[in-house]
Amino acid sequence: MSGRRHLAWLGLTPEPERELPAAVAALRASLDTARPPSAGPARLASAERRRVERLVLRGSRHSWLRYLAEVTALVTAVTDRLDEPTAPEGATRVTDADASASAALLAAEVILDHHRMLIGLPGAGYGRTARDRAELENALRLLRGRSRIAEPTPTARTGEGR
């Protein structure tokens, strides 16, 4: 094997680089994971943007897919928290459900699109992401269903029919 890096993964789509940093920062903030008390949303997004930039410029396909798997875990964690009636005592709780649901929806759509495109690249990337694709599809069903439920619906109490 030659010493050249395989760079085909870089040509898939720019959406993850563009869309994920702010969404991932919002997910991390909503779950209070590794957030210094002084870090605001702009600072978290900037740090996430630098991390993505480092991965794209100096990383490998493997490290990029590992990062996307980490973001998939954040999406499913937020989805699980939103699906719970109340968080158990001592658990990390979602601080802003609507913002975290929007960020999770965006991140899930971007990553799922990315993972589906891997089928056109050489290597095992598409196969390696099968579990993540299934988790993201499930999360998207729940998030999209939640957004429909969250819309105000008329009830007998308000005098309007269902």
Side-chain angles (χ1 to χ4, degrees), residues 83-158:
D83 204 29
E84 292 176 0
T86 57
E89 187 175 326
T92 306
R93 61 183 194 87
V94 176
T95 56
D96 185 354
D98 292 336
S100 60
S102 295
L105 183 63
L106 174 65
E109 288 173 340
V110 167
I111 296 170
L112 186 58
D113 286 346
H114 175 278
H115 284 357
R116 286 176 174 159
M117 286 188 270
L118 289 172
I119 198 167
L121 294 181
Y126 186 77
R128 283 187 52 209
T129 60
R131 182 172 160 222
D132 287 353
R133 286 193 312 275
E135 289 177 1
L136 290 165
E137 288 167 352
N138 186 47
L140 282 170
R141 270 192 300 280
L142 292 169
L143 290 163
R144 288 177 180 148
R146 183 183 186 280
S147 68
R148 283 190 288 275
I149 292 169
E151 295 173 5
T153 55
T155 64
R157 188 172 166 190
T158 62

Side-chain angles (χ1 to χ4, degrees), residues 50-108:
R50 284 190 305 275
R51 182 175 181 201
V52 168
E53 183 178 309
R54 275 192 313 273
L55 282 168
V56 169
L57 294 177
R58 295 182 194 94
S60 65
R61 177 176 50 183
H62 183 72
S63 62
W64 179 246
L65 292 178
R66 196 170 43 239
Y67 171 75
L68 295 179
E70 179 185 325
V71 178
T72 297
L74 290 171
V75 168
T76 57
V78 166
T79 304
D80 290 347
R81 298 262 193 252
L82 293 171
D83 204 29
E84 292 176 0
T86 57
E89 187 175 326
T92 306
R93 61 183 194 87
V94 176
T95 56
D96 185 354
D98 292 336
S100 60
S102 295
L105 183 63
L106 174 65

